[in-house]
Amino acid sequence: MNGCFEGVGLRCLFKGVSMAAPKPPKYLLAFDFDETIINENSDDSIIRAAPGQALPEHIRQTFRDGFYNEYMQRVFEYLGDQGVKMLNYKTVYENIPLSPGMPELFQFLSKNQDQFEIILLSDANMFGIECTLRAAGVYSLFRKIFSNPSGFDKRGYLTLGPYHTHKCPQCPANMCKRKILTEYLMERAQEGAEFESIFYVGDGANDFCPSVALTSTDIAFPRKGYPMHQMTQEMEQKQPRAFQASVVPWDSAVEVCRYLQELLKRKC
């Protein structure tokens, strides 16, 4: 993947980094949001706040592949023009259902917070994510959330910006999750944090990019039948053993929970 540290494992990038005194080992658990933590795409869900719960054709025709963030900026502008306010958005976001098994997984994680450092990487928007996680009672589990900046302007319109710029040709113009994860690990290494393993739970094509950089001590948890899972399978067929992390597909997050439970049992 040109522009995304091709062929370099995430930990290999940190050799020579000056570290503080090491802390007790933890596992880093990274989540996607749309169709991973929640069982819908939140950008699609928010259309329920629109008049008639639909967008006009002239808005939908402006979508360009790889530029979804720009498209959603236009969607939010249109919704603002239609009188959609903060409370309308909040109501929709708070009622998006979690994916199957996700409540059980979060219950397990809440009881084992000393073992897992949890972060979220999402191409949705910060306001919507915070609303959903707070409503589910799990916001405090996350050490850091990486998503596109959003907020309400003086008109009361929800505004959206890009997260960053990057040079990865595989990812949307506004976000490369591998770049985010790499920079986060560099930051944590400088702070003295060491992780025995990285676990990545996702579903989309933009979750495949960071998972390729995982090493043999890490686990990728792709949702079964979704793009991340399909791309993982295709890579294994075309380039056997090129995907270094172990792959544990899931239909229900209970399967992720069981894997992590067994991991902790083996550590005892």
Side-chain angles (χ1 to χ4, degrees):
M1 290 192 175
N2 296 330
C4 261
F5 313 105
E6 182 175 5
V8 180
L10 289 170
R11 290 176 185 76
C12 296
L13 296 170
F14 312 129
K15 291 180 178 178
V17 173
S18 177
M19 290 189 174
K23 298 177 182 179
K26 279 190 174 184
Y27 302 105
L28 180 65
L29 178 55
F31 279 97
D32 171 51
F33 182 66
D34 289 320
E35 297 183 296
T36 297
I37 288 179
I38 60 173
N39 206 33
E40 300 176 0
N41 181 318
S42 59
D43 287 336
D44 294 336
S45 303
I46 207 62
I47 306 307
R48 292 198 284 267
Q53 299 191 1
L55 294 176
E57 185 64 23
H58 75 271
I59 295 290
R60 290 190 283 121
Q61 285 183 350
T62 66
F63 171 74
R64 290 188 299 152
D65 191 35
F67 294 88
Y68 200 80
N69 183 266
E70 291 182 8
Y71 170 72
M72 286 306 300
Q73 291 176 36
R74 292 188 289 273
V75 169
F76 289 136
E77 182 74 14
Y78 167 77
L79 293 176
D81 289 343
Q82 303 307 305
V84 178
K85 301 298 184 184
M86 181 190 292
L87 183 60
N88 306 119
Y89 286 113
K90 193 169 181 285
T91 298
V92 172
Y93 285 127
E94 289 179 345
N95 286 282
I96 298 175
L98 299 181
S99 292
M102 202 57 67
E104 290 86 346
L105 175 56
F106 282 133
Q107 185 177 25
F108 164 77
L109 292 173
S110 69
K111 295 177 180 177
N112 293 277
Q113 294 184 54
D114 60 325
Q115 297 294 319
F116 299 97
E117 182 167 303
I118 307 171
I119 62 174
L120 190 156
L121 300 83
S122 170
D123 197 9
N125 73 83
M126 190 65 76
F127 174 77
I129 290 171
E130 289 188 2
C131 286
T132 302
L133 296 182
R134 290 185 189 281
V138 298
Y139 179 79
S140 63
L141 289 178
F142 293 85
R143 183 179 187 272
K144 193 140 187 191
I145 296 172
F146 300 91
S147 190
N148 299 303
S150 59
F152 291 87
D153 65 16
K154 60 184 180 182
R155 301 171 299 170
Y157 286 28
L158 180 58
T159 62
L160 177 69
Y163 180 79
H164 62 187
T165 59
H166 61 84
K167 297 180 180 179
C168 176
Q170 280 76 33
C171 289
N174 62 294
M175 178 175 285
C176 173
K177 292 185 179 181
R178 188 194 296 209
K179 178 178 171 64
I180 294 172
L181 183 58
T182 299
E183 291 174 351
Y184 181 78
L185 288 170
M186 175 69 82
E187 174 189 309
R188 295 297 286 131
Q190 291 172 339
E191 294 168 351
E194 295 184 61
F195 301 108
E196 291 187 17
S197 299
I198 301 170
F199 306 127
Y200 193 103
V201 186
D203 76 287
N206 64 350
D207 297 312
F208 176 73
C209 183
S211 69
V212 172
L214 299 177
T215 70
S216 59
T217 61
D218 304 326
I219 309 292
F221 292 97
R223 192 170 184 180
K224 290 180 184 176
Y226 284 71
M228 180 186 176
H229 186 209
Q230 295 165 353
M231 294 170 77
T232 301
Q233 293 175 314
E234 290 170 4
M235 185 175 191
E236 181 57 30
Q237 292 172 358
K238 296 176 181 177
Q239 305 175 59
R241 294 178 295 281
F243 195 92
Q244 296 184 47
S246 298
V247 179
V248 181
W250 59 280
D251 274 320
S252 166
V254 168
E255 297 165 77
V256 179
C257 184
R258 287 173 182 160
Y259 185 95
L260 298 179
Q261 286 175 326
E262 289 301 316
L263 174 77
L264 295 189
K265 287 179 182 178
R266 292 196 299 269
K267 295 292 290 184
C268 293

